[in-house]
Amino acid sequence: MPSDAEGAVHARWDAARCFHAEPSAPGETYAIFIPPPNVTAALHLGHAFNNSLQDLLTRYHRMQGANTLWMPGTDHAGIATQTVVEKRLLLQGKKRTDFTREAFVEKVQEWKDEYEATILGQLKGMGCSCDFDRTRFTMDETCATAVRHAFFTLFKDGLVYRGKRLVNWDPVTQTALADDEVEMEEVDGSFWYLKYPLADGSGHITVATTRPETMLGDTAVAVNAKDPRAAALRGKKLRLPIVGREIPIVEDDYVVMPASLGGDPADPKAQFATGFLKVTPAHDPNDWDIGQRHNVAAINVMAPDGSISDRHGWLDVSAEAKQFVGLSREEARKRIVAWFKQNGLLEEVKPYRHSVGHSYRSHVPVEPYLSDQWYVRVTDDRLRGTALRAMAKDQVEGALESSVASGPAMAGDGELRFFPARYAKNFQMWHENIRDWCISRQLWWGHRIPVWTKRGEASMLASNMGALASLDPSHTVVRAARVVDGAEVALSALPAASGEHDLHVCLLDDTQGGMLESLGFKRDPDVLDTWFSSALWPLSTLGWPDPSKWPEMAGLLDRYNPSSVLCTAREIITLWVSRMVMFNRYFLGRLPFKHVFIHAMIQDGHGQKMSKSLGNGVDPRDIIHSHGSDAMRFTLVSMATNTQDVRLPVDMVCPHTSETFTPKWITTSAGYTVADAIQPSPKDASKKMVSGFGAATGVATPTAEIPLARNTSARFDLGRNFANKLWNATRFALSNLSQADAASQPAPLTLLDRWMLARLELASRAYGAAVAEYEFHRVAEALYDLVWRDFCDWYLEGIKPTVRSNATQQAVLAASLDAILRMLHPVCPFVTETLWSNVQGLAKGSVDGVALQPSALCATAAWPRFAASLRDEKALAEFARVQALVDAIRKVRGERQVSPKRRIALLAGESVRALIASSGGVVETMAGLESVGASPAARPATAVAIPFEGSEVLLDGLVDAVDAGAENARLSKLIADREKQASGMRAKLENEAYIAKAPPALVEETRKKLAEVDADIAAAKQALAALAT
RNA sequence: GGGCGCUUAGCUCAGUUGGUUAGAGCACCGCCAUUACACGGCGGUGGUCGCAGGUUCGAGUCCUGCAGCGCUCACCA
């Protein structure tokens, strides 16, 4: 079987170093940066899909003579990896904080080493032709240098700033999350209607909230100015229950009025709104905005762990409020609601189902939390503007905003193109609405932020300025921030003359860190968002900013950046694609890649995205085990269409019996359908196994008795059968060639040979066009048709009687086989490489118009070149007639259940006989003909008639005696089919509008076709009549 | 709620600028151990192209509306 040889093939590729990129080598540049997989877990079929396509592109262009680089590597995936490791430690009863930072990072490093090795092994197992010598990791020294340089540069250029913002805070992992890291989940909650008394005792208003615990931080209540009640309340104050704080009533048109008071009844908010909105600037993003507009304070009432706290900005804690301090947010909610109820201030409670942001890692509700974070000012034209201007003009919807369009020109403007084109819109809309990017993360695993900070009075800090001034200015940037009430206000070049300040020092490298620390500066404990280093991937992997630092990287940056194409999934157009474009353009003034190809998503059999976190991912090694790597690749490529996500029903393989079976499905709490963690063996329920879901989520751990079950899917049979077909066809062709008659003579090319060469030429062009448009399923289709339909079904079958004595045909066969292996190689590298040496050694002579450069390895072979002269339209047309005739005869044979062994006589008119003669024996071979003769004057009693191209063809000897009933049925059905066709065409031709408006050539064709169908009907009717006599 | 995509044979999917009998693989039915391959060969059954309108000589394809599914952004009083 083909898959057996995969390991040996690898060794040969490695020995020849055929995937190693040399920047000084000739050829057009073709480069791809792998989207670095996270080191959190092993790859699944989604990665296999993505990488199969990248490998196809890389191998195809390598064979076209390009100087190719496929850069491999992995991503440290900050939050994700740290969380995975923390979870594992938790199973051992340990917490992250039980370790020192260094010791913990060491633990994560071990995890990373294990999975990085697994991932690289998987890539090799899939046959990926990456330049593994250049493998990078987003936290290795090379990448770290790039990250450090990038941060320093942005800091120096004023594009990194310290911001006080409401961030998405995960109270469990105690880190800020990017918007994209927040998952919305539907939860059953309540609306609590709370009464707030007016300060003057003249009554109360009612606010509606889903988060009553935040009321401790309320600093205003807002009402819409159009609300009829607003005027009477203007200038009044409220007494905040529990806290006793006096808070203003502000007017803001953000507030939705209740439907009963003129609010839009179509707005669901109008249904439950009271018209009064409690304003908690420190705990809600919209309230933050309202607070800014009305200049009310933001009071933070929570600690970083989400508990109520009086130590993080809440000063006016009343005696009554003290009881809530220290409670968890969940507990505080219950107790505060109870307080309102006890005090007669709870007006109503309504059940309410709504979506709440959850941490995509810890899965707890995200808390909007006020904190100091580092931001990249991506809204600056130097970042956002350059990204928008990079877009291909014809892919921009509408026009770019004038301020963007008029921005400074740069190389690469208008050259970024998306495939399929519709994804350009995602990219554009993201940048048009982009917000500054929060890049600090409260983690230990990642690139530590290179900023040292000291807080103090301006006078005290001034004494440090002298020491700072002595530092190398090209390695040091100093910024100061005024501190008011413990919070930073704004960054500036220098501290003001007086007042408390934070002095921030950004260093390009660590050498002066110790000096700063001796002055009392502390290094920022946070790390950078993972996407910060990912955004630099096309730069960092090539040694930017200074490739000369690493000898083996010389020349890489200039040669391979910009790269050719980025192949990725649509979900990270914003997270990753955007940021690479902005950074690459900002730092290098170039595009990171010219094309962005967005491929479909792999879903499981239930239409759910295959993902690590869901635990429904299938390990490609499982499919390689059941079907082989080439089979997996071919199938994945054939599924790569541009519109449809790929749905892949998954089965399990019992490790005890090797049976394939459908697992027992369960529904998770989040509503997903997954394979139950422990499954019984299908024939023996006492034997158990662990599903991929069980292992991936840690619900079950495989043991010797309860082993992990592999997955498989019948979808891959397609590729397995195809690889098998190629294998056998090659064996057959080789045996024919090796047993060729010594006395073989050259002969003119037969119709079949000319047809085969024309099909090869056609397939090669179709292939190239499909690759150029990233329509990969068309590549698989072209190969499938070429190998199976054309080469195996027609060519190999057709040449059986002649090839051993025809030296020219032997050469065509050898050349066809050689070309097929080359063309198939980018999709099925293993089987083609395995067969390669056998086919290369044939020496059967050349074929005019076919250029097949010799090569020791298929992987480094040149793409076959076909001269335009092989594009033989006449041979294609004529052979199509041959196929139609053979099909017609086979159809009768099939319908009448005639043994393939039975030879028959064909009697026909001159044109059919001429066609058969021109086929060079193909019709006789393929249709099982014993003889071909002229139509007789009198029809033999045993003859069966078929219409072909408007005339009657008789098949004699097909049956011992004509079964009049069966024959009648066959001909009647044939006539009915043809008449249905004819009536459609006749109706068209009788329609004057059709004659007048349709293109004349089409009308003429309809007439011709109708005449032929009519002639077929006449011939069949004649046969039917003859049957009756 | 905005944006994008999808809905075609029992299943998974193709179907290029509107054009004549809507295709493939699997599954299913029949025939075949023919000397490459049963992971095979030959033949066959199977579709009112989600629904309703419209444009057109002609609609799976273009337009409008509706329904369902998926992704994504936003909201999340």
Side-chain angles (χ1 to χ4, degrees):
Chain A
M1 289 299 287
S3 57
D4 292 347
E6 290 174 7
V9 167
H10 256 302
R12 284 158 63 200
W13 289 337
D14 286 348
R17 296 190 85 207
C18 40
F19 310 137
H20 187 69
E22 267 312 322
S24 58
E28 212 170 295
T29 301
Y30 193 84
I32 296 181
F33 299 97
I34 201 170
N38 292 353
V39 290
T40 43
L43 303 183
H44 58 68
L45 279 179
H47 299 102
F49 182 53
N50 174 269
N51 288 306
S52 294
L53 301 182
Q54 289 177 71
D55 196 44
L56 191 164
L57 288 169
T58 305
R59 287 184 187 268
Y60 176 78
H61 287 95
R62 185 181 292 122
M63 294 177 81
Q64 294 286 351
N67 178 330
T68 55
L69 166 65
W70 183 11
M71 174 66 75
T74 52
D75 194 304
H76 69 280
I79 295 182
T81 312
Q82 177 161 328
T83 307
V84 167
V85 174
E86 282 190 70
K87 274 188 182 163
R88 171 164 289 194
L89 288 174
L90 213 53
L91 291 175
Q92 304 163 7
K94 292 179 193 152
K95 293 197 307 255
R96 164 173 55 122
T97 45
D98 295 342
F99 300 85
T100 64
R101 182 166 180 149
E102 290 68 30
F104 179 78
V105 166
E106 189 59 37
K107 293 262 171 215
V108 185
Q109 188 76 31
E110 285 168 20
W111 178 279
K112 169 253 161 186
D113 288 342
E114 181 186 339
Y115 280 94
E116 180 182 53
T118 300
I119 288 166
L120 294 174
Q122 286 178 303
L123 289 176
K124 285 180 182 171
M126 292 184 246
C128 294
S129 64
C130 303
D131 184 355
F132 287 106
D133 294 347
R134 301 195 187 278
T135 303
R136 294 257 71 84
F137 170 58
T138 52
M139 267 170 64
D140 66 22
E141 195 199 339
T142 311
C143 292
T145 306
V147 165
R148 191 66 175 260
H149 188 86
F151 185 92
F152 181 83
T153 307
L154 292 168
F155 194 93
K156 183 173 56 134
D157 296 350
L159 290 170
V160 161
Y161 67 94
R162 190 84 165 143
K164 182 161 287 292
R165 288 285 180 90
L166 277 177
V167 295
N168 303 301
W169 184 260
D170 178 342
V172 171
T173 58
Q174 300 207 10
T175 185
L177 301 174
D179 291 343
D180 334 82
E181 292 166 341
V182 176
E183 290 172 348
M184 303 313 292
E185 283 180 29
E186 287 280 313
V187 296
D188 286 311
S190 302
F191 257 119
W192 286 277
Y193 289 80
L194 309 179
K195 293 186 193 173
Y196 285 8
L198 286 156
D200 60 10
S202 63
H204 68 269
I205 56 93
T206 304
V207 296
T209 180
T210 56
R211 302 178 59 216
E213 69 279 11
T214 64
M215 59 79 55
L216 299 172
D218 283 5
T219 52
V221 164
V223 63
N224 196 309
K226 282 180 249 151
D227 192 305
R229 299 164 300 184
L233 293 166
R234 197 161 292 146
K236 295 212 174 189
K237 302 250 181 188
L238 294 164
R239 180 74 60 194
L240 187 64
I242 302 178
V243 185
R245 184 182 304 142
E246 196 168 82
I247 58 175
I249 296 174
V250 299
E251 293 176 20
D252 197 294
D253 59 11
Y254 174 78
V255 181
V256 174
M257 290 192 286
S260 58
L261 290 172
D264 177 3
D267 183 348
K269 283 180 186 168
Q271 301 304 316
F272 49 72
T274 66
F276 294 102
L277 174 66
K278 64 192 273 302
V279 178
T280 324
H283 296 281
D284 182 285
N286 294 307
D287 291 11
W288 171 262
D289 291 342
I290 296 172
Q292 295 291 102
R293 284 199 285 276
H294 300 280
N295 200 25
V296 300
I299 297 177
N300 176 26
V301 297
M302 279 186 197
D305 66 359
S307 67
I308 303 298
S309 165
D310 58 359
R311 296 216 303 261
H312 294 83
W314 182 18
L315 304 173
D316 58 348
V317 187
S318 64
E320 191 67 28
K322 275 264 189 281
Q323 59 178 307
F324 301 104
V325 171
L327 298 178
S328 72
R329 51 184 175 159
E330 295 82 8
E331 188 61 23
R333 174 176 296 182
K334 285 185 207 154
R335 300 269 289 269
I336 284 172
V337 169
W339 188 95
F340 272 84
K341 197 171 178 185
Q342 270 166 23
N343 290 276
L345 294 174
L346 180 65
E347 189 173 284
E348 200 182 356
V349 184
K350 285 186 189 169
Y352 182 57
R353 189 168 173 79
H354 61 139
S355 57
V356 174
H358 285 65
S359 164
Y360 90 111
R361 275 295 129 200
S362 67
H363 300 291
V364 300
V366 162
E367 196 63 45
Y369 194 76
L370 202 57
S371 65
D372 289 312
Q373 302 287 343
W374 292 103
Y375 282 82
V376 174
R377 202 183 308 279
V378 287
T379 47
D380 192 285
D381 184 76
R382 288 172 284 178
L383 296 169
R384 169 182 180 269
T386 53
L388 284 166
R389 288 189 290 276
M391 294 181 69
K393 294 279 181 289
D394 60 300
Q395 291 196 334
V396 174
E397 187 165 281
L400 296 177
E401 308 157 34
S402 59
S403 63
V404 171
S406 62
M410 183 189 287
D413 281 348
E415 289 179 14
L416 182 69
R417 185 168 290 282
F418 284 82
F419 296 84
R422 62 176 184 276
Y423 291 112
K425 193 172 175 179
N426 277 31
F427 184 87
Q428 185 181 345
M429 282 171 64
W430 164 257
H431 288 98
E432 285 174 349
N433 301 308
I434 200 167
R435 293 193 287 176
D436 282 349
W437 174 21
C438 175
I439 51 166
S440 39
R441 294 288 183 277
Q442 291 66 47
L443 297 171
W444 283 353
W445 176 244
H447 292 281
R448 193 160 173 183
I449 291 174
V451 175
W452 282 257
T453 299
K454 185 175 178 182
R455 178 169 290 191
E457 279 299 318
S459 55
M460 188 265 288
L461 294 173
S463 66
N464 292 143
M465 293 304 286
L468 296 178
S470 72
L471 296 175
D472 178 353
S474 67
H475 285 61
T476 317
V477 177
V478 180
R479 294 271 186 271
R482 250 194 83 129
V483 174
V484 176
D485 293 339
E488 293 185 4
V489 175
L491 284 183
S492 59
L494 291 169
S498 65
E500 196 178 29
H501 284 77
D502 275 346
L503 202 55
H504 297 296
V505 182
C506 181
L507 295 179
L508 183 54
D509 55 55
D510 283 353
T511 48
Q512 298 299 327
M515 187 276 266
L516 287 177
E517 280 155 28
S518 71
L519 292 176
F521 284 80
K522 288 214 172 77
R523 184 165 185 179
D524 196 305
D526 291 355
V527 300
L528 289 165
D529 178 12
T530 292
W531 296 104
F532 190 92
S533 53
S534 312
L536 294 164
W537 191 241
L539 294 165
S540 58
T541 51
L542 301 181
W544 179 86
D546 182 17
S548 66
K549 208 170 151 186
W550 295 278
E552 72 278 10
M553 298 191 116
L556 283 188
L557 188 63
D558 287 334
R559 180 85 205 223
Y560 301 112
N561 184 309
S563 64
S564 307
V565 60
L566 176 77
C567 298
T568 192
R570 57 179 175 264
E571 63 203 2
I572 51 178
I573 291 175
T574 54
L575 289 169
W576 193 41
V577 180
S578 151
R579 288 159 184 174
M580 279 193 284
V581 172
M582 291 192 290
F583 274 13
N584 211 95
R585 300 205 89 197
Y586 184 66
F587 291 120
L588 203 58
R590 297 182 206 159
L591 280 176
F593 29 73
K594 305 251 176 71
H595 292 173
V596 179
F597 166 64
I598 305 291
H599 62 247
M601 198 113 72
I602 302 277
Q603 303 174 338
D604 64 17
H606 303 95
Q608 305 161 143
K609 177 182 156 189
M610 223 173 247
S611 79
K612 282 172 220 162
S613 53
L614 220 180
N616 63 345
V618 172
D619 191 326
R621 289 172 297 187
D622 287 4
I623 304 301
I624 293 171
H625 187 259
S626 64
H627 288 81
S629 188
D630 288 324
M632 178 178 75
R633 294 169 56 119
F634 184 85
T635 306
L636 290 172
V637 170
S638 74
M639 296 191 300
T641 67
N642 280 342
T643 50
Q644 191 74 40
D645 284 338
V646 176
R647 192 180 278 220
L648 203 80
V650 175
D651 288 327
M652 275 172 68
V653 181
C654 173
H656 304 289
T657 65
S658 300
E659 287 171 273
T660 296
F661 67 101
T662 305
K664 182 172 165 262
W665 305 108
I666 56 162
T667 304
T668 66
S669 56
Y672 291 106
T673 303
V674 294
D676 202 356
I678 303 281
Q679 299 273 339
S681 180
K683 292 259 170 63
D684 178 359
S686 69
K687 288 183 177 154
K688 308 284 186 201
M689 68 196 86
V690 175
S691 73
F693 168 77
T697 54
V699 174
T701 307
T703 62
E705 291 77 42
I706 308 180
L708 178 66
R710 290 180 186 275
N711 288 117
T712 188
S713 170
R715 292 294 298 276
F716 295 100
D717 292 354
L718 169 73
R720 181 198 56 192
N721 297 353
F722 181 71
N724 183 253
K725 188 75 178 176
L726 175 79
W727 181 264
N728 284 301
T730 306
R731 274 195 340 168
F732 175 67
L734 291 173
S735 79
N736 269 289
L737 291 170
S738 66
Q739 292 166 37
D741 295 344
S744 296
Q745 292 296 315
L749 288 174
T750 65
L751 173 65
L752 186 58
D753 291 325
R754 287 187 290 133
W755 172 81
M756 188 68 235
L757 294 170
R759 295 298 293 178
L760 282 162
E761 193 273 341
L762 206 60
S764 175
R765 271 189 293 141
Y767 197 130
V771 169
E773 291 161 54
Y774 302 96
E775 300 229 7
F776 295 103
H777 76 279
R778 281 166 49 198
V779 171
E781 202 175 77
L783 289 170
Y784 190 92
D785 286 344
L786 177 71
V787 173
W788 204 310
R789 302 275 88 100
D790 296 343
F791 185 66
C792 292
D793 289 352
W794 290 95
Y795 190 71
L796 286 183
E797 292 299 330
I799 64 171
K800 274 180 180 175
T802 53
V803 68
R804 294 194 186 188
S805 60
N806 179 341
T808 305
Q809 194 156 60
Q810 289 158 23
V812 173
L813 172 60
S816 301
L817 191 57
D818 181 308
I820 282 171
L821 290 186
R822 292 175 200 245
M823 286 162 70
L824 197 50
H825 182 77
V827 183
C828 299
F830 291 107
V831 65
T832 49
E833 191 66 81
T834 306
L835 295 170
W836 181 251
S837 54
N838 303 307
V839 174
Q840 276 290 284
L842 287 176
K844 283 291 170 188
S846 64
V847 174
D848 281 349
V850 183
L852 300 163
Q853 240 175 59
S855 168
L857 287 170
C858 193
T860 51
W863 194 254
R865 297 286 163 200
F866 302 104
S869 60
L870 298 180
R871 208 179 296 179
D872 189 339
E873 300 294 345
K874 216 175 133 227
L876 289 170
E878 196 162 356
F879 198 75
R881 290 177 62 213
V882 167
Q883 289 176 310
L885 178 59
V886 170
D887 285 347
I889 299 168
R890 280 173 166 176
K891 182 166 173 170
V892 184
R893 295 186 72 123
E895 280 171 351
R896 305 307 294 274
Q897 305 184 358
V898 175
S899 160
K901 279 188 188 137
R902 186 161 187 145
R903 305 285 105 170
I904 58 177
L906 179 142
L907 305 169
E910 202 179 326
S911 80
V912 173
R913 279 183 284 129
L915 179 65
I916 293 171
S918 82
S919 82
V922 169
V923 175
E924 290 92 327
T925 307
M926 309 284 269
L929 301 184
E930 188 172 53
S931 66
V932 175
S935 300
R939 181 191 305 246
T942 51
V944 168
I946 52 170
F948 179 72
E949 293 180 351
S951 70
E952 187 184 72
V953 172
L954 293 173
L955 301 175
D956 196 14
L958 189 69
V959 287
D960 295 328
V962 169
D963 173 345
E967 201 49 19
N968 197 311
R970 182 180 70 81
L971 288 166
S972 300
K973 181 171 182 299
L974 201 147
I975 290 166
D977 281 357
R978 293 288 204 284
E979 272 180 344
K980 194 178 145 207
Q981 229 179 306
S983 72
M985 287 189 271
R986 210 164 274 126
K988 265 187 196 311
L989 292 169
E990 283 161 8
N991 180 347
E992 281 172 32
Y994 177 68
I995 306 287
K997 295 188 179 175
L1002 193 69
V1003 176
E1004 191 43 45
E1005 205 185 315
T1006 308
R1007 287 209 174 95
K1008 224 177 98 188
K1009 187 86 187 166
L1010 177 61
E1012 200 178 300
V1013 171
D1014 276 342
D1016 276 356
I1017 293 170
K1021 280 186 172 163
Q1022 203 187 334
L1024 202 58
L1027 207 60
T1029 58

